Amino acid sequence: MIDLLRAFFVVLEEGSLNRAATRLHVTQPSLSRQMQALEHEIGGPLLERQTSGVKPTALGQATVACMKPVLERYESGLAELRHQARGQRAELRIGYIGSAAQFYLNPALTELRKRHPEVRVKLLDQAPGEQIAALQQGDIDLALIGQEGAALAGEYYTKKLATLGVCVVLPSDHPLAVRRELAPVDLKKEVFIGAPEKDVPGRNRWITRICRAGGFKPKFIADAESIGEAFSMIASEGAVTLLPDYFAQSPPPGVALVPLIDKAATWDLLLLWQRGKASMVLKAMVEILTKVGERNSRAGKEQ
């Protein structure tokens, strides 16, 4: 049954029995017999033959909805068992934005080690753009990424870990640095430090959207390659930028971080992982990170 389902999904992907047979290295008559055997097993026609190829019937579509998750779990479980049979420890490769490690990733890793001490974790401190590329190339299993990952929701499993507030980063001697909070309109006369699109897709558009809520379009004077460079440029150039508010808990020398109060001023922290390739260890990590996010959210509300 498993082999028949595998063949069925290949036929649907190719849209042609002939192309599917070539891909599966079998003859077309042999593949046709496999499809007939699967239809007999399920109890009805799964494929509709057309001059241009084949497409699923209503029953075929229902078979996809019911059986594809089953096959994916089977493949994932089998791969994990084979690793164990060869004496190999499970490995989890995580790409993450370094600024999120202290409050989200580090506590989660501590819990993961308690649950799965046999797991080898490979950590990659990557910019959002690097994480996206690593996911697409299969180089990481899980991405702890900012809202830049939302554009990939249709391609990957996506889970929102937290919705955070926003703070304004400005020089410590700036007149606005003494304020307890700021609104977007307060930044109308300021110049901004942005981020390269290749490293942080959509960051400058996000800043622009928040500023437009204050009635103006921000003027960007430079893009910083890293958070550290952004802080240095802010201190030296008298510029400002916007960041998630967890940075406010440990501001570096030379800059001040002031909460930005506006309904449009939010920032999402996301998890992304491959569809159909979730091992038990990956699922455990997603669960643990979710609980860490919920715990941090409750702590923030109590403050």
Side-chain angles (χ1 to χ4, degrees):
M1 182 71 168
I2 292 295
D3 289 338
L4 296 180
L5 285 170
R6 287 195 186 107
F8 174 62
F9 291 131
V10 171
V11 170
L12 295 185
E13 289 172 6
E14 296 294 339
S16 161
L17 283 168
N18 186 44
R19 290 195 297 272
T22 300
R23 178 172 159 185
L24 292 168
H25 305 291
V26 299
T27 64
Q28 183 171 332
S30 175
L31 182 57
S32 295
R33 288 193 295 271
Q34 290 181 47
M35 294 303 96
Q36 291 168 4
L38 182 61
E39 290 174 333
H40 177 75
E41 183 76 21
I42 291 176
L46 303 178
L47 296 169
E48 180 180 343
R49 278 71 171 177
Q50 300 179 332
T51 55
S52 58
V54 294
K55 70 175 185 178
T57 62
L59 181 60
Q61 292 173 347
T63 300
V64 172
C66 291
M67 301 306 293
K68 193 164 188 178
V70 174
L71 182 59
E72 289 173 348
R73 287 195 296 271
Y74 171 84
E75 301 282 10
S76 177
L78 181 61
E80 188 160 333
L81 289 172
R82 284 172 172 167
H83 278 297
Q84 292 183 20
R86 292 194 295 266
Q88 296 176 342
R89 294 189 302 166
E91 181 181 68
L92 183 62
R93 303 165 300 169
I94 303 175
Y96 68 99
I97 46 177
S99 52
Q102 178 180 353
F103 300 104
Y104 294 92
L105 183 57
N106 292 350
L109 289 171
T110 299
E111 179 62 26
L112 183 69
R113 282 194 294 271
K114 293 178 182 177
R115 293 194 195 182
H116 298 281
E118 78 286 357
V119 173
R120 180 173 61 250
V121 179
K122 182 178 180 180
L123 298 174
L124 298 166
D125 185 349
Q126 298 174 314
E130 292 175 322
Q131 290 188 57
I132 290 171
L135 270 175
Q136 292 171 336
Q137 295 165 10
D139 293 334
I140 60 174
D141 306 302
L142 180 66
L144 177 58
I145 193 172
Q147 57 196 20
E148 300 81 18
L152 302 177
E155 187 176 352
Y156 299 95
Y157 288 127
T158 306
K159 188 175 188 63
K160 185 186 294 185
L161 197 57
T163 296
L164 306 174
V166 176
C167 61
V168 182
V169 187
L170 63 172
S172 56
D173 59 354
H174 193 289
L176 295 176
V178 298
R179 299 270 291 271
R180 296 187 62 181
E181 59 185 43
L182 294 168
V185 67
D186 296 322
L187 307 176
K188 188 173 184 178
K189 297 181 180 180
E190 307 301 325
V191 292
F192 284 75
I193 300 297
E197 182 67 17
K198 65 179 178 64
D199 294 330
V200 193
R203 171 61 60 84
N204 293 356
R205 293 193 298 274
W206 171 70
I207 293 175
T208 299
R209 176 175 58 81
I210 293 175
C211 291
R212 285 193 181 279
F216 70 99
K217 182 178 180 181
K219 178 183 177 182
F220 292 95
I221 60 169
D223 286 338
E225 298 286 340
S226 66
I227 293 295
E229 183 180 9
F231 288 147
S232 297
M233 293 174 71
I234 287 167
S236 63
E237 301 294 334
V240 304
T241 196
L242 304 181
L243 289 175
D245 61 6
Y246 57 73
F247 281 97
Q249 303 203 28
S250 54
V255 301
L257 288 86
V258 181
L260 186 68
I261 307 302
D262 187 87
K263 64 180 181 180
T266 61
W267 186 88
D268 291 335
L269 183 63
L270 305 177
L271 295 176
L272 268 68
W273 66 98
Q274 298 281 358
R275 290 185 178 273
K277 296 184 178 180
S279 66
M280 288 187 291
V281 173
L282 175 55
K283 291 178 181 178
M285 190 58 174
V286 171
E287 176 192 342
I288 293 168
L289 277 165
T290 300
K291 289 181 179 179
V292 170
E294 292 171 351
R295 186 165 64 242
N296 287 353
S297 178
R298 287 195 299 270
K301 291 177 181 179
E302 292 171 357
Q303 290 179 353

